[in-house]
Amino acid sequence: AQSVTQLDSQVPVFEEAPVELRCNYSSSVSVYLFWYVQYPNQGLQLLLKYLSGSTLVKSINGFEAEFNKSQTSFHLRKPSVHISDTAEYFCAVSVSSGSARQLTFGSGTQLTVLP
Amino acid sequence: NAGVMQNPRHLVRRRGQEARLRCSPVKGHSHVYWYRQLPEEGLKFMVYLQKENIIDESGMPKERFSAEFPKEGPSILRIQQVVRGDSAAYFCASSLSSLNEKLFFGSGTQLSVL
């Protein structure tokens, strides 16, 4: 079975500062990796995903994550955050790209961007 | 709003009562998933349904919990005789197919058992 650890439950950061949200996983087989974001009073939305190919994946709003197999990590980064990035971020892994039943989520990281 | 709608947003029940959580998927989606997030933990898969069928309930507790997705109307997650340990956020997601990256989530129902 796979598991996901998000070590930081709360990350406060000032606007325009860089941020890194950490995600580590464990699995005995190859995995697919995802970051979901939940804005206040909304459902989770897929932010970005790694299925195969380039280990650096990017979202349309400036976030990026790098799959590091040796460190079993998939940290999320943004060089300069905005107030609108305030949300809860969930890292998830799956052993299959074809089944949402096998998604395992981390406990989430609340990112709060301060003015 | 054409997204996944869950209601109620917050539900308070006393021990022994029944809780009914509703989920209306994105229009046209026939795949529904329920997840539970216990305090300080990640979301965990509970059950996967297609219209009128339970496909996979491997994550559902064996007793007191049931789910349905009728031909007409929302999907319902029903918890009978609730206990304090049932207090959690329950999320519903829907998809057009069963591929991970096409999941649309609702904003969840926070169940509090007194």
Side-chain angles (χ1 to χ4, degrees):
Chain A
Q2 61 270 22
S3 66
V4 179
T5 302
Q6 290 182 249
L7 285 171
D8 308 305
S9 60
Q10 306 266 353
V11 174
V13 63
F14 287 106
E15 194 173 16
E16 297 183 6
V19 71
E20 178 180 83
L21 307 183
R22 295 180 292 170
C23 172
N24 288 89
Y25 69 92
S26 66
S27 175
S28 56
V29 298
S30 296
V31 295
Y32 304 92
L33 295 151
F34 306 83
W35 275 100
Y36 283 83
V37 58
Q38 184 180 25
Y39 297 106
N41 299 312
Q42 296 184 29
L44 280 76
Q45 303 170 38
L46 181 65
L47 185 62
L48 46 75
K49 61 183 184 288
Y50 169 77
L51 300 181
S52 64
S54 172
T55 56
L56 183 66
V57 291
K58 299 184 179 185
S59 72
I60 58 173
N61 58 352
F63 282 93
E64 63 180 36
E66 185 156 22
F67 170 50
N68 188 319
K69 190 174 181 180
S70 62
Q71 296 187 6
T72 61
S73 68
F74 191 55
H75 301 330
L76 182 69
R77 300 183 182 95
K78 189 170 184 179
S80 175
V81 293
H82 303 289
I83 297 285
S84 59
D85 293 324
T86 294
E88 185 139 26
Y89 292 79
F90 294 91
C91 182
V93 302
S94 173
V95 296
S96 165
S97 67
S99 174
R101 290 169 272 177
Q102 295 173 6
L103 272 176
T104 300
F105 287 85
S107 54
T109 296
Q110 175 64 44
L111 173 64
T112 301
V113 181
L114 307 166
Chain B
N1 185 346
V4 176
M5 302 301 294
Q6 287 188 250
N7 65 82
R9 187 82 174 88
H10 301 275
L11 181 61
V12 179
R13 285 287 177 266
R14 295 191 182 280
R15 281 179 297 171
Q17 291 184 320
E18 178 180 285
R20 292 172 75 88
L21 288 64
R22 287 176 292 276
C23 169
S24 296
V26 172
K27 190 175 180 181
H29 284 191
S30 59
H31 299 248
V32 165
Y33 307 82
W34 285 93
Y35 292 83
R36 176 168 67 173
Q37 185 181 24
L38 293 167
E40 310 300 322
E41 295 185 18
L43 282 76
K44 290 198 167 52
F45 166 78
M46 297 181 74
V47 61
Y48 163 43
L49 310 103
Q50 292 183 23
K51 283 285 187 181
E52 300 184 274
N53 289 303
I54 296 174
I55 306 302
D56 181 353
E57 54 183 350
S58 58
M60 196 102 100
K62 294 286 183 272
E63 296 177 350
R64 302 187 296 108
F65 284 72
S66 62
E68 62 177 11
F69 187 19
K71 187 176 179 182
E72 301 291 337
S75 175
I76 305 287
L77 180 67
R78 182 181 177 208
I79 312 172
Q80 296 178 289
Q81 299 174 345
V82 295
V83 301
R84 289 220 172 107
D86 297 332
S87 296
Y90 292 82
F91 290 92
C92 169
S94 75
S95 67
L96 201 54
S97 71
S98 59
L99 296 176
N100 284 338
E101 59 264 41
K102 299 296 184 184
L103 274 183
F104 294 79
F105 280 83
S107 52
T109 292
Q110 181 63 52
L111 172 65
S112 298
V113 180
L114 304 178

